[in-house]
């Protein structure tokens, strides 16, 4: 059975007018309960007197918390004496977990972040401030039907194409709220935003090991204040089923979660972040310094990212080709060398990176504007096929290729790594076996034989394409894709792909890119040989 719920934006003491309107709506719709997602009160004024005197009628069970203003003292007195404020009005608390008579689990964190408190819980339950510790304490709730926060989660608009009304200024989100939402995976997350209304597309969270086939969906909605000058929406009504149908398809327009939960872990490698080395982001984690009060610095933007062409420190001499939506470069400190396959006609390191021009941690998070996401994937695939054709032709079809990707929502700049591989090694299923065995040795989730494409319906994952070159039976060759989905509870080694291939190629001494560093003169020699070989396959020329 479903419960009908109505949520209100900031009331700001307009009790008489707002609840008169709610009464009218309740007569028609028979709501189960109401929730105030913001300030119910403004000051300890006449509206409070009228409420306590019984002159204002609350027509249905209504729940409220602390918003951005302190609760009136007379309301606090009632709460502390455990007295009823008035019929049907219930204080949720500033930091609480509540289960209503309908069985709806509401998790609440009212107020704004008190940046003067570095650790611990807030002592004052009626002032409009909370701590990061308050948010972390609520992780123990494990789940929620409705999450109610005064503050927005950080990055909530990432991956969204919902347009904003002209002149609308949306609140700045906070990471500890994003962390809380990611931990609880609520069905609905409500907040408030003064004179603006925002309803994001639904987004799904990564499946867990316990429920690998379940992708919990969250809807984030922020309501404007009642009587706002821009006439933005201040009420939101919906039906909440008593249980979630885990077999139902994802709602139309659903995106992957824009949230992530950064964790303070020791880095997996001691080296700083490099644009090319391991082709991952290990060192990025190391290089990020500590900011104010020990908080992590945000990930590098396009101007500092060593995969972005806008970075003035970009090693441009390693770039081979630049397309409309992606570009091709050879790796710094490559795994394979100019001698690895020289007897097969590939006398240069063919370890290449295919990189989107758009600065995005995953392909799925690239904007849909102007079809940029799809065009980027198509052009990256085109580069991959061109590289495959190059190594196959030069080796008389004795070389295939392995291309892998780490897609993590809290990464820096997604890309694909391309490395040639002997046809014989591929045909004996040694590549697939190597990846599966290494995953099993590390207690990683098992690989699935599937290709997630852009990954719009997936969370974090590691993907590897294994391409067998053309034969008499298959004139264009064949590709097998293995995908390992994982979530942020897994401490995934960002060196995983290179480690597997280094072992397989008996190049263990080249596992770390820094051990394979070359002079700029050597790099220029390699890129010239690569470009000469790739020229006839280069569609950007």
């Amino acid at each position: 059975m479903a419960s009908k719920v109505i949520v209100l934006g900031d009331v700001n003491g307009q009790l008489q007018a707002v609840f008169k309107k709610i009464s009218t709506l309740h007569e028609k719709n028979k709501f189960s309960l109401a929730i105030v997602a913001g300030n119910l009160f403004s000051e300890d004024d006449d509206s409070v007197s009228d409420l306590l005197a019984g002159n204002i009628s609350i027509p249905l069970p209504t729940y409220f918390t602390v918003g951005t203003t302190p609760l009136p003292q007379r309301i606090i007195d009632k709460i502390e004496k455990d007295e009823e404020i008035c019929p049907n009005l219930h204080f949720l608390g500033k930091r609480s977990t509540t289960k209503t008579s309908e069985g709806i689990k509401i998790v609440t964190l009212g107020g704004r972040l008190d940046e003067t408190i570095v650790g611990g819980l807030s002592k004052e339950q009626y002032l409009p401030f909370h701590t990061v510790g308050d948010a972390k304490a609520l992780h123990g709730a494990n789940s929620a039907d409705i999450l109610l926060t005064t503050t927005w989660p950080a990055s909530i608009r990432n991956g969204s194409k919902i347009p904003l009304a002209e002149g609308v200024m949306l609140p700045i989100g906070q990471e500890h709220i994003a962390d809380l939402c990611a931990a609880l995976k609520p069905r609905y997350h409500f907040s408030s935003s003064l004179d603006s209304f925002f309803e994001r597309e639904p987004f799904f969270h990564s499946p867990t090991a316990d429920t690998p086939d379940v992708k919990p969906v969250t809807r984030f909605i922020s309501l404007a204040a009642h009587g706002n000058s821009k006439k933005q929406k201040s009420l939101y009504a919906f039906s909440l089923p008593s249980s979630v149908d885990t077999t139902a398809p994802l709602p139309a327009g659903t995106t992957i979660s824009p949230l992530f939960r950064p964790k303070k872990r020791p880095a997996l490698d001691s080296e700083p972040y490099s644009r090319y080395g391991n082709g991952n982001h290990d060192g990025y984690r190391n290089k990020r310094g500590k900011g104010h009060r020990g908080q992590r610095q945000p990930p590098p933007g396009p101007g500092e990212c060593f995969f972005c062409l806008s970075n003035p420190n970009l090693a441009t001499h390693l770039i081979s080709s630049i397309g409309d939506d992606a570009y091709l470069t050879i790796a710094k400190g490559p795994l394979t060398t100019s001698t690895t396959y020289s007897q097969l006609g590939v006398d240069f390191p063919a370890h290449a990176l295919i990189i989107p021009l758009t600065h995005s941690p995953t392909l799925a998070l690239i904007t849909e504007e102007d079809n940029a996401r799809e065009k980027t994937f198509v052009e990256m695939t085109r580069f991959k096929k061109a590289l495959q054709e190059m190594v196959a032709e030069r080796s008389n079809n004795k070389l295939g290729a392995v291309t892998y990707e780490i897609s993590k929502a809290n990464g820096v700049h997604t890309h694909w790594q391309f490395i040639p591989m002997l046809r014989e090694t591929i045909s004996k299923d040694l590549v697939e076996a190597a990846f599966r065995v290494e995953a099993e040795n590390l207690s990683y989730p098992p690989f699935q034989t599937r290709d997630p494409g852009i990954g719009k319906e997936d969370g974090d994952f590691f993907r590897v394409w294994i391409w067998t070159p053309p034969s008499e039976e298959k004139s264009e060759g064949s590709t097998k894709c293995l995908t390992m989905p994982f979530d942020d509870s897994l401490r995934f080694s960002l060196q995983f792909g290179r480690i597997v291939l280094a072992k397989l190629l008996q190049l263990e001494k080249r596992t770390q890119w820094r051990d394979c560093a070359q002079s700029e003169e050597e790099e220029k020699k390699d890129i010239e040989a690569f470009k000469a070989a790739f020229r006839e396959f280069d569609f950007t020329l």
Side-chain angles (χ1 to χ4, degrees):
M1 183 177 177
S3 299
K4 289 185 177 181
V5 182
I6 185 166
V7 184
L8 296 70
D10 287 315
V11 175
N12 292 327
Q14 303 174 72
L15 304 180
Q16 190 72 261
V18 168
F19 283 105
K20 183 178 180 181
K21 184 175 183 178
I22 295 297
S23 294
T24 301
L25 293 171
H26 181 52
E27 287 179 7
K28 297 178 181 178
N29 297 279
K30 305 300 180 187
F31 294 110
S32 301
L33 66 142
I35 299 172
V36 181
N39 298 311
L40 177 59
F41 302 100
S42 177
E43 299 175 354
D44 198 343
D45 53 16
D46 290 344
S47 65
V48 175
S49 300
D50 287 339
L51 182 71
L52 297 178
N55 297 327
I56 297 175
S57 175
I58 310 294
L60 76 165
T62 300
Y63 299 85
F64 73 100
T65 183
V66 178
T68 59
T69 60
L71 294 182
Q73 187 58 50
R74 284 185 288 172
I75 300 298
I76 295 174
D77 292 342
K78 285 279 190 180
I79 296 170
E80 290 189 332
K81 293 177 182 177
D82 201 22
E83 295 179 357
E84 182 181 64
I85 301 172
C86 70
N88 279 334
L89 189 59
H90 308 284
F91 179 56
L92 289 167
K94 183 167 70 178
R95 183 192 71 244
S96 69
T97 300
T98 304
K99 199 157 193 177
T100 71
S101 58
E102 295 81 13
I104 298 173
K105 186 177 181 180
I106 305 173
V107 176
T108 308
L109 183 62
R112 294 170 174 161
L113 178 65
D114 186 347
E115 297 184 356
T116 65
I117 302 177
V118 177
L121 306 179
S122 57
K123 300 289 194 291
E124 298 291 340
Q125 293 304 301
Y126 310 109
L127 293 180
F129 302 102
H130 65 252
T131 68
V132 172
D134 289 321
K136 289 181 177 179
L138 289 173
H139 287 205
N142 297 317
S143 65
D145 292 311
I146 297 173
L147 175 61
L148 186 63
T149 64
T150 303
T151 307
W152 276 33
S155 69
I156 190 64
R157 292 197 62 232
N158 286 1
S160 173
K161 60 179 182 180
I162 300 297
L164 300 179
E166 186 176 351
V168 167
M169 296 293 290
L170 295 179
I172 297 174
Q174 295 280 344
E175 286 191 2
H176 66 288
I177 301 297
D179 194 8
L180 179 60
C181 183
L184 299 183
K185 300 176 178 62
R187 295 158 73 182
Y188 284 85
H189 183 173
F190 287 99
S191 189
S192 56
S193 42
L194 298 177
D195 59 354
S196 61
F197 170 82
F198 178 74
E199 180 176 8
R200 193 198 186 281
E201 301 96 330
F203 58 89
F204 69 88
H205 302 266
S206 298
T208 64
D210 294 334
T211 54
D213 298 323
V214 178
K215 297 177 179 177
V217 173
T218 293
R219 290 172 167 83
F220 176 80
I221 297 116
S222 187
L223 294 158
H226 287 267
N228 65 88
S229 60
K230 295 183 179 179
K231 297 183 179 180
Q232 291 277 295
K233 190 173 180 179
S234 60
L235 294 173
Y236 188 92
F238 65 102
S239 292
L240 187 70
S242 57
S243 61
V244 178
D245 181 2
T246 58
T247 64
L250 294 175
T254 299
T255 74
I256 65 171
S257 174
L259 313 176
F260 63 91
R261 289 185 284 160
K263 297 181 179 180
K264 293 184 178 180
R265 303 168 176 159
L268 296 172
D269 300 286
S270 59
E271 69 211 38
Y273 168 70
S274 165
R275 176 176 183 267
Y276 298 108
N278 54 29
N280 305 307
H281 313 308
D282 316 50
Y284 145 70
R285 242 203 296 263
N286 293 333
K287 189 169 182 180
R288 284 169 66 188
K290 298 292 184 178
H292 185 58
R293 294 198 179 107
Q295 293 183 349
R296 281 186 179 272
Q297 296 292 339
E304 298 81 35
C305 172
F306 287 99
F307 290 112
C308 283
L309 298 183
S310 59
N311 184 346
N313 297 315
L314 188 72
T316 55
H317 67 281
L318 294 173
I319 296 174
S320 168
S321 312
I322 300 176
D324 295 326
D325 301 282
Y327 72 97
L328 180 67
T329 178
I330 62 172
K332 198 176 190 69
L335 177 58
T336 48
T337 72
S338 57
T339 62
T340 305
Y341 297 119
S342 58
Q343 293 183 343
L344 296 176
V346 179
D347 55 355
F348 52 88
H351 182 175
L353 279 69
I354 305 169
I355 305 172
L357 295 180
T358 301
H359 180 76
S360 176
T362 71
L363 289 171
L365 286 176
I366 293 176
T367 178
E368 289 185 348
E369 185 177 351
D370 195 31
N371 204 27
R373 181 192 300 162
E374 181 68 29
K375 288 194 293 185
T376 300
F377 181 73
V378 167
E379 188 163 78
M380 291 178 73
T381 301
R382 195 174 177 189
F383 271 125
K384 176 165 67 75
K385 290 181 177 179
L387 288 168
Q388 291 169 173
E389 291 172 3
M390 177 188 73
V391 297
E393 183 170 306
R394 292 185 70 87
S395 66
N396 195 25
N397 288 333
K398 292 179 181 178
L399 284 176
V402 175
T403 306
Y404 66 86
E405 169 193 16
I406 299 173
S407 180
K408 285 173 62 69
N410 63 344
V412 181
H413 192 137
T414 190
H415 57 278
W416 297 350
Q417 297 241 17
F418 175 92
I419 296 175
M421 185 62 61
L422 286 171
R423 177 196 193 99
E424 183 179 6
T425 304
I426 296 172
S427 62
K428 290 181 178 179
D429 293 328
L430 296 179
V431 177
E432 178 176 353
F435 277 101
R436 291 189 183 275
V437 168
E438 189 70 16
E440 185 176 349
N441 289 342
L442 294 171
S443 298
Y444 284 178
F447 275 100
Q448 302 168 359
T449 305
R450 67 180 181 89
D451 189 342
I454 292 175
K456 288 189 290 185
E457 296 187 1
D458 285 79
D460 294 345
F461 61 85
F462 175 88
R463 162 171 53 190
V464 56
W465 289 281
I466 305 169
W467 181 72
T468 304
S471 63
E472 291 182 2
E473 297 80 19
K474 296 182 179 180
S475 59
E476 295 184 0
S478 61
T479 300
K480 187 171 189 177
C481 185
L482 304 176
T483 299
M484 178 203 299
F486 59 88
D487 58 31
D488 57 7
S489 66
L490 176 69
R491 189 176 171 185
F492 186 80
S493 170
L494 300 180
Q495 290 269 39
F496 178 71
R498 181 157 178 153
I499 288 171
V500 171
L501 296 178
K503 289 180 178 180
L504 187 62
L505 294 168
Q506 298 182 344
L507 296 172
E508 287 94 332
K509 292 183 179 180
R510 300 186 67 82
T511 298
Q512 298 290 337
W513 80 272
R514 204 169 274 282
D515 296 334
C516 313
Q518 299 171 287
S519 67
E520 185 170 325
E521 183 179 349
E522 290 172 321
E523 291 174 341
K524 287 182 177 178
K525 181 180 178 181
D526 284 343
I527 186 61
E528 288 306 315
F530 179 90
K531 289 168 72 173
F534 188 63
R535 185 170 292 113
E536 65 177 287
F537 305 94
D538 191 348
F539 57 87
T540 67
L541 297 177

